[in-house]
Amino acid sequence: MEKILEVKDLHVSFDTFGGEVKAVRGVNLHLEKGETLAIVGESGSGKSVTSKAIMGLIPNPPGRIKEGEILFGGKDLAKMSEKELQSIRGSEISMIFQDPMTSLNPTMTVGKQIMEGLIKHQRLSKTEAKSRAIELLKLVGIPNPDTRVSQYPHQFSGGMRQRVVIAIALACNPRILIADEPTTALDVTIQAQILELLRDLQEKMGTSIIFITHDLGVVANIADRVAVMYAGKIVETGTVDEIFYNPQHPYTWGLLGSMPSLDTSEEELIAIPGSPPDLTDPPKGDAFAPRNPYAMKIDTELEPPLFKISDTHYAATWLLHEKAPKVEPPEAIKKRMKGMASSKPTMVTKDGERNG
Amino acid sequence: MGRYIGGRVVSMLVTFLIIASLTFFLMKLLPGTPFNNQEKMSESQIQQMNEKYGLNDPVPVQYVTYMTNLFKGDLGVSFQQDGRSVTTIIGERIGPSAYLGFQSLLIGTIFGLLLGIIAALKHNTFLDYGSMIIAVLGISIPSFVIAGMMQYWVGVKWGMLPVAYWEGFEYTIMPTIAIAAAVTATIARFMRTEMLEVLGQDYITTAKAKGLTSTAVVIKHTIRNASIPIITIMGPMVVALMTGTLVIEQIFVIPGLGEKFVSSIMTNDFPIIMGTTLFFSILFIVVILVVDVLYGIVDPRIRLAGGK
Ligand SMILES: Nc1ncnc2c1ncn2[C@@H]1O[C@H](COP(=O)(O)OP(=O)(O)O)[C@@H](O)[C@H]1O
Ligand SMILES: [Mg+2]
């Protein structure tokens, strides 16, 4: 497999009145050609900041990339000039955002909004760009694209707007698509349809996707690999199977436990106790320790390294150290992992409707 | 849209009637009569004049006569310039006022937009603070103070521009600046707020994520959307402008409508006061309608709602 993007030891901070917010604190990840990598974590864990750093869209001030490399096509995006970044944004790496109600310009027709990128990157004429925009609208499943192309965002429903946003992002056949919680603001049926669309388009266009979500339920449907993020760091990474059937980090257990699962809907959800740490003053040692029922003394003192479980599976928890006591995930979560095994392949059927 | 405008026109007419009646009665409260300041006239002559212009009739009768004539498009004749109709006088006077008004509005809007845009794009920098200091000064210093200071320094001390009168372009510069200052300041502050608001919107991030240059993002996505709400303050702006010209025309001795208006109040020239007031009111009512319609045209969200 070919690595198309590699993020090495990325640190991003925001200088605020309250001090330096260390939003991303040493993220390592890579993306392979044609795959979908899910970045999962509670809100505030630094997922959006990581993706904005890749796009070169960290607002400065107050934000800055303090350290690290973002390697793409042999170049380091973290060190590129704004002009170079502009030629990559929207053409090689694109992004779709969480809220389709606010991510389109209300005073510009959707057609024009799609055409802008085409005119800039592919140097198409206005007429060419317009017919390409119509094709794209068709591609993302918008009926009557010929009339829709000259309508304004408020004339579209939320789901349809997200399709427009996807059309904008895919206009120039980018190699990487970063989707930052693209279904969070949508209702469940529409969510499933958008996921279906993304999978379809990925198959057609061979795009690699970074899919950001706080919902592990969505991950099973779309991702090949998962990176679990907590307090600005990746704490566990592995294939979907490894994360769902053999999770190692107590935080991943927590996420699995708090995930509403379909067969076990009767069962109560187990929320992770406590809340994420203050990133202006992150705790020494393992940032998850204060919320971790299995925390050991060393967790409060020394940050755990990434322990290797398999070639693709790593987790940063001292529980994997040879001297640590053997702990098993809580029974409830183990039961869920089993439940997941039976439900996963049928969670979304061909026509995009959810079972259950 | 057609029905909407129709409804608006009806309410405009009602507004106009109310303004006309109010002005009529308020004017009757002005002390003195039109002719008591002409010392040369004898008591009987004054009586004769009062009779001629119907000023001896009971006020309700005068009111009915006035309103009837008004609907025939007859604003009456000036008491002071015998025989000359109010419409003719307004016609003569409108030129300088309109010129001054438009020139000030144009200059004020352009500079206001520029200052507001710069302030927002350079948010929290020296340029931002500088622009806003100018804006606060522009709003808080009355136009007649600015006018007086310019007359003294630029006009008298340095002799760079004519101090008064209306005889060519250089005569328009100081009055324009005096009036445009407040316009500039108001628009600058408003535009800055709108720009900052738009710059924080998600769709600006979308535009950047497309790889557009910062200039393209600012021009196509930010300035356009930020300037739409400016239209809403154009109504009050035009009022401020009209009242501004009243004073400024007086100060610079410009033969405009404002100067005529003020001098006719001094001489109780009722038809002129009525005529000019009504003229300003119509202008204002029309501006408000135009602003609303324009807003609907520029903002597609409202366009649809209005069209339904
Ligand atoms: N512009 C900003 N200024 C200050 N702090 C920020 C800014 N953007 C993000 N952060 C901080 O960075 C942290 C991570 O945020 P984010 O990446 O948005 O989380 P999420 O995982 O929910 O996407 C949060 O603590 C947030 O407060
Ligand atoms: Mg986020």
Side-chain angles (χ1 to χ4, degrees):
Chain A
M1 270 274 177
E2 187 191 334
K3 276 183 194 174
I4 111 164
L5 180 82
E6 191 165 13
V7 175
K8 287 184 178 169
D9 196 30
L10 181 70
H11 290 255
V12 183
S13 284
F14 294 91
D15 297 308
T16 65
F17 290 117
E20 176 187 344
V21 180
K22 303 183 184 82
V24 170
R25 309 181 297 139
V27 160
N28 288 288
L29 56 83
H30 71 274
L31 182 67
E32 282 167 16
K33 198 159 183 262
E35 78 165 344
T36 300
L37 169 71
I39 302 181
V40 194
E42 286 169 294
S43 155
S45 51
K47 308 179 298 290
S48 298
V49 172
T50 304
S51 59
K52 282 194 179 143
I54 296 172
M55 290 291 286
L57 287 177
I58 299 285
N60 180 337
R64 65 200 150 93
I65 296 181
K66 266 176 58 180
E67 240 183 282
E69 292 172 76
I70 303 167
L71 301 173
F72 172 74
K75 283 190 172 166
D76 184 359
L77 300 179
K79 305 215 166 40
M80 264 192 192
S81 71
E82 173 62 21
K83 206 168 161 73
E84 284 175 292
L85 282 169
Q86 280 166 5
S87 69
I88 287 179
R89 272 184 221 138
S91 74
E92 307 260 11
I93 308 180
S94 284
M95 187 156 179
I96 52 186
F97 301 93
Q98 179 169 344
D99 190 354
M101 301 318 262
T102 56
S103 50
L104 292 170
N105 184 339
T107 66
M108 198 185 262
T109 63
V110 299
K112 281 216 177 98
Q113 297 188 54
I114 300 174
M115 286 156 62
E116 277 186 322
L118 293 165
I119 293 170
K120 150 109 201 198
H121 297 296
Q122 306 195 334
R123 314 235 164 263
L124 298 190
S125 71
K126 274 208 172 140
T127 21
E128 287 167 335
K130 186 165 181 189
S131 55
R132 177 83 183 117
I134 295 173
E135 277 170 33
L136 281 160
L137 286 177
K138 202 152 131 203
L139 184 72
V140 297
I142 290 180
N144 308 320
D146 296 292
T147 44
R148 290 302 228 166
V149 75
S150 39
Q151 290 185 343
Y152 290 89
H154 69 265
Q155 292 163 287
F156 292 74
S157 68
M160 284 294 154
R161 285 193 208 190
Q162 198 60 308
R163 285 171 193 264
V164 172
V165 173
I166 294 173
I168 293 175
L170 294 180
C172 303
N173 290 317
R175 296 211 277 155
I176 300 176
L177 175 69
I178 304 175
D180 190 353
E181 313 227 11
T183 59
T184 307
L186 304 171
D187 71 48
V188 177
T189 357
I190 311 291
Q191 253 184 37
Q193 289 170 6
I194 296 290
L195 289 181
E196 173 88 10
L197 173 69
L198 281 174
R199 261 184 322 202
D200 266 11
L201 292 172
Q202 180 174 35
E203 216 162 275
K204 271 185 211 156
M205 309 170 79
T207 323
S208 313
I209 299 181
I210 296 179
F211 191 97
I212 292 171
T213 178
H214 64 263
D215 178 5
L216 262 179
V218 175
V219 170
N221 290 322
I222 188 142
D224 301 306
R225 283 192 309 120
V226 182
V228 179
M229 200 164 176
Y230 184 74
K233 291 184 181 212
I234 306 284
V235 296
E236 182 163 7
T237 165
T239 62
V240 169
D241 284 349
E242 285 163 341
I243 297 296
F244 277 84
Y245 310 131
N246 187 26
Q248 296 296 321
H249 200 288
Y251 180 62
T252 315
W253 298 345
L255 287 181
L256 285 165
S258 57
M259 168 185 152
S261 122
L262 298 161
D263 326 321
T264 49
S265 50
E266 314 288 291
E267 200 181 320
E268 63 189 294
L269 301 179
I270 314 134
I272 309 173
S275 52
D278 174 11
L279 292 174
T280 39
D281 184 24
K284 210 172 114 201
D286 184 348
F288 187 58
R291 303 172 71 188
N292 182 2
Y294 309 97
M296 297 172 289
K297 190 159 181 295
I298 188 164
D299 280 311
T300 57
E301 285 159 10
L302 206 61
E303 217 177 288
L306 273 179
F307 289 94
K308 180 171 173 177
I309 299 123
S310 78
D311 279 348
T312 47
H313 192 185
Y314 294 83
T317 165
W318 283 118
L319 291 175
L320 291 170
H321 193 268
E322 51 193 6
K323 286 185 191 152
K326 267 256 135 310
V327 294
E328 294 273 312
E331 273 313 306
I333 289 167
K334 271 166 109 182
K335 226 169 82 196
R336 291 199 149 206
M337 283 153 53
K338 282 203 202 92
M340 214 82 72
S342 60
S343 74
K344 183 201 156 202
T346 53
M347 269 174 89
V348 169
T349 57
K350 271 254 151 34
D351 60 5
E353 295 294 328
R354 275 206 178 196
N355 290 341
Chain B
M1 196 72 170
R3 245 186 82 187
Y4 169 74
I5 295 182
R8 287 294 300 267
V9 169
V10 171
S11 79
M12 276 164 62
L13 277 176
V14 175
T15 316
F16 179 71
L17 279 182
I18 295 173
I19 293 174
S21 313
L22 270 178
T23 341
F24 183 85
F25 291 113
L26 282 175
M27 208 174 46
K28 290 289 156 198
L29 298 177
L30 282 178
T33 79
F35 311 112
N36 60 359
N37 49 357
Q38 256 101 346
E39 280 122 33
K40 284 166 243 154
M41 276 197 270
S42 68
E43 197 57 34
S44 67
Q45 273 175 313
I46 290 177
Q47 267 313 311
Q48 213 181 326
M49 294 292 269
N50 279 345
E51 196 61 44
K52 176 176 168 198
Y53 291 116
L55 292 175
N56 289 336
D57 297 342
V59 171
V61 175
Q62 290 186 36
Y63 174 68
V64 171
T65 319
Y66 188 84
M67 292 308 266
T68 325
N69 287 339
L70 185 63
F71 273 89
K72 293 185 205 144
D74 178 7
L75 289 172
V77 291
S78 165
F79 292 163
Q80 308 296 349
Q81 290 169 280
D82 195 21
R84 305 204 56 213
S85 81
V86 174
T87 28
T88 319
I89 293 172
I90 291 181
E92 283 169 10
R93 291 295 190 126
I94 190 80
S97 296
Y99 182 93
L100 190 57
F102 278 117
Q103 186 163 291
S104 311
L105 188 63
L106 192 71
I107 303 282
T109 308
I110 291 174
F111 279 100
L113 289 177
L114 277 179
L115 273 184
I117 291 168
I118 292 171
L121 293 180
K122 302 285 169 197
H123 187 37
N124 283 341
T125 65
F126 172 75
L127 277 172
D128 183 15
Y129 303 136
S131 309
M132 284 311 105
I133 289 173
I134 296 180
V136 169
L137 291 181
I139 291 174
S140 41
I141 303 179
S143 61
F144 58 84
V145 174
I146 299 178
M149 291 196 323
M150 279 193 297
Q151 279 181 321
Y152 180 71
W153 291 102
V154 184
V156 179
K157 282 262 169 181
W158 303 334
M160 287 163 68
L161 287 168
V163 178
Y165 303 122
W166 192 254
E167 278 151 29
F169 177 70
E170 67 267 33
Y171 291 81
T172 71
I173 296 174
M174 290 205 296
T176 301
I177 294 175
I179 298 173
V183 178
T184 308
T186 313
I187 292 193
R189 277 176 29 144
F190 196 87
M191 187 62 178
R192 175 177 176 272
T193 314
E194 290 299 322
M195 284 285 290
L196 288 177
E197 157 106 30
V198 172
L199 281 171
Q201 295 288 320
D202 289 348
Y203 60 79
I204 295 299
T205 318
T206 308
K208 286 182 189 157
K210 277 181 219 174
L212 301 185
T213 60
S214 345
T215 327
V217 174
V218 166
I219 292 174
K220 291 197 190 144
H221 292 271
T222 317
I223 295 185
R224 194 193 134 87
N225 288 10
S227 47
I228 289 175
I230 293 281
I231 300 172
T232 55
I233 56 164
M234 277 301 174
M237 194 70 94
V238 170
V239 179
L241 214 66
M242 292 189 306
T243 43
T245 47
L246 292 188
V247 185
I248 295 302
E249 283 178 10
Q250 216 52 117
I251 295 179
F252 288 97
V253 203
I254 296 165
L257 212 48
E259 193 265 346
K260 185 76 201 162
F261 183 59
V262 175
S263 63
S264 50
I265 292 176
M266 305 296 178
T267 57
N268 278 345
D269 196 344
F270 295 151
I272 299 280
I273 302 176
M274 278 298 285
T276 357
T277 309
L278 293 182
F279 179 80
F280 280 137
S281 316
I282 292 175
L283 199 66
F284 181 48
I285 293 173
V286 170
V287 164
I288 288 183
L289 177 70
V290 169
V291 161
D292 285 354
V293 172
L294 213 59
Y295 199 81
I297 291 173
V298 194
D299 192 328
R301 286 163 296 187
I302 295 179
R303 191 191 306 166
L304 190 83
K308 266 182 190 163

